[in-house]
Amino acid sequence: MFRLNVPHSCKNYASTFSFCFGRVNLKCFYSTQSQQAEEEHFSPQFQPIIGLELHAQIASKTKLFSGSSSAHNASVESNCHVSIFDSAIPGTLPRLNSSCIHKSLLAAVLLNCHVADFCRFDRKHYLYPDLPLGYQITQKASPIAKNGYFNFYVNSTEEDDFGYYQKSVGIEQIQLEMDSGKSIRHENLDLIDLNRAGIALIEIVTAPDFCNTNEVICFVEQLKMALSHNGICLGQFHEGNLRVDANVSVSKNGEKGSKVELKNLSGIGHMYSALTNEIKRQLGMVKNGELIEEETRAVDEQGFAILLIKLSNR
């Protein structure tokens, strides 16, 4: 376990660092199918409820707990930026990267969060081949910041309507953690690249304040631009700099249903397809009186949540 004292003066960063969007009509990504999406026209009896967990890699030169380079894109040779700590050699100790702390605090100010006077790191155990330590160092119990909000603009999905409205989404917490390595499927082999292992992440957990897919897409696009503009995260989905998990449920007559978590949504188009398909699936089940189990699912390339990872209530 690692502990960190955050200076009280960091709470005044808002006077130094600020970012806001002008009243610009930001047209988000939509396919032809999206303009005819059924989930945007729910009756008051059935309403989708969506919350997000965004994993943004911090744009730092080195990793969170080692001096290895954080470069891990396709042009970098596999397993060439791996320190003895990243590969979990016994007896090695972590060394905290202060640049990652600074950018986490900057993200907290950007999202209007309360910065904790004290926070700590904990171990979250996983037995995955791309996580040599056997655990992830994270801050779920005592995050660096919490209780914030983010204001953004939502555009109309109608083809000839350029109107928009402003929406505020609650930010439950921001936690600093380390990324895992990358598993690569090649023919009949599972290959491991540890260049990404140990890179600093901030996990941004929103409140379940989204009412439709359109709001989610606009939020992610504008948050991505804000993080990139302030040098916190590059925000490139194709490089894995930004990854999104979504918790989706459908309420009936104001009563919340069981949520399904969709893992690793890897782009705006992929996110749209996954959310649209999952909302339609749950809506059909609710209308037919079927029980929706609280579970975690992976999503295929077409955006269908077909692979069950785990049942959350077992």
Side-chain angles (χ1 to χ4, degrees):
M1 182 180 294
F2 307 94
R3 296 178 181 271
L4 168 70
N5 285 313
V6 180
H8 186 78
S9 59
C10 291
K11 298 178 182 180
N12 298 321
Y13 275 16
S15 61
T16 306
F17 300 104
S18 63
F19 182 87
C20 65
F21 286 96
R23 292 182 173 270
V24 179
N25 190 20
L26 298 171
K27 278 294 177 183
C28 300
F29 174 91
Y30 296 103
S31 63
T32 303
Q33 181 184 10
S34 74
Q35 296 174 1
Q36 303 170 352
E38 295 179 5
E39 87 277 8
E40 306 293 353
H41 305 286
F42 278 119
S43 66
Q45 185 181 9
F46 302 101
Q47 288 293 329
I49 300 174
I50 306 170
L52 300 179
E53 297 175 9
L54 299 96
H55 300 84
Q57 287 184 352
I58 293 178
S60 61
K61 293 182 179 180
T62 57
K63 297 182 180 181
L64 181 58
F65 290 111
S66 77
S68 297
S69 170
S70 59
H72 67 95
N73 55 36
S75 63
V76 178
E77 183 181 354
S78 299
N79 295 309
C80 66
H81 294 157
V82 184
S83 72
I84 56 176
F85 176 77
D86 301 329
S87 54
I89 301 300
T92 56
L93 296 174
R95 184 174 61 183
L96 187 59
N97 186 340
S98 60
S99 173
C100 297
I101 299 295
H102 177 268
K103 292 193 175 184
S104 299
L105 294 171
L106 183 55
V109 172
L110 179 68
L111 297 175
N112 303 290
C113 290
H114 171 75
V115 176
D117 294 316
F118 172 83
C119 62
R120 72 167 186 259
F121 289 98
D122 303 299
R123 293 181 178 182
K124 188 175 182 181
H125 289 264
Y126 296 99
L127 295 177
Y128 293 157
D130 54 9
L131 194 64
L133 289 170
Y135 57 85
Q136 180 189 39
I137 301 177
T138 183
Q139 290 185 326
K140 187 173 182 64
S142 299
I144 195 168
K146 57 185 178 180
N147 299 333
Y149 63 90
F150 184 73
N151 296 325
F152 65 103
Y153 292 98
V154 184
N155 300 282
S156 171
T157 58
E158 300 298 329
E159 187 173 359
D160 298 324
D161 184 0
F162 290 91
Y164 59 87
Y165 61 90
Q166 188 178 31
K167 185 178 178 71
S168 181
V169 165
I171 305 297
E172 293 185 350
Q173 67 181 51
I174 298 175
Q175 59 196 55
L176 183 61
E177 58 190 27
M178 55 180 283
D179 207 347
S180 64
K182 186 176 182 180
S183 299
I184 304 169
R185 184 69 177 177
H186 178 69
E187 297 178 351
N188 295 325
L189 299 175
D190 288 317
L191 306 178
I192 304 297
D193 182 6
L194 295 181
N195 282 343
R196 197 177 71 180
I199 289 180
L201 293 176
I202 49 171
E203 180 176 343
I204 302 170
V205 182
T206 77
D209 291 341
F210 300 99
C211 300
N212 55 56
T213 303
N214 182 31
E215 291 182 351
V216 172
I217 299 301
C218 291
F219 169 83
V220 172
E221 283 279 28
Q222 292 171 50
L223 178 60
K224 181 181 72 169
M225 285 190 286
L227 294 174
S228 176
H229 176 87
N230 286 276
I232 299 168
C233 173
L234 297 179
Q236 298 172 329
F237 278 106
H238 65 283
E239 294 288 356
N241 302 142
L242 187 63
R243 305 190 294 274
V244 180
D245 300 337
N247 295 305
V248 183
S249 63
V250 172
S251 67
K252 180 179 180 181
N253 296 323
E255 183 178 348
K256 292 183 179 180
S258 298
K259 68 179 180 181
V260 174
E261 184 179 15
L262 305 180
K263 299 291 288 185
N264 293 328
L265 306 181
S266 57
I268 296 299
H270 188 231
M271 192 184 312
Y272 175 82
S273 298
L275 292 174
T276 299
N277 292 327
E278 179 60 23
I279 290 173
K280 288 182 179 180
R281 184 185 75 87
Q282 291 192 28
L283 179 62
M285 293 179 67
V286 171
K287 286 184 175 180
N288 293 331
E290 300 178 48
L291 178 65
I292 297 175
E293 294 195 72
E294 191 166 319
E295 58 193 16
T296 301
R297 290 177 173 265
V299 181
D300 65 9
E301 293 181 357
Q302 286 72 42
F304 289 95
I306 59 172
L307 179 61
L308 178 64
I309 299 177
K310 66 179 180 179
L311 293 173
S312 299
N313 58 354
R314 291 187 179 180

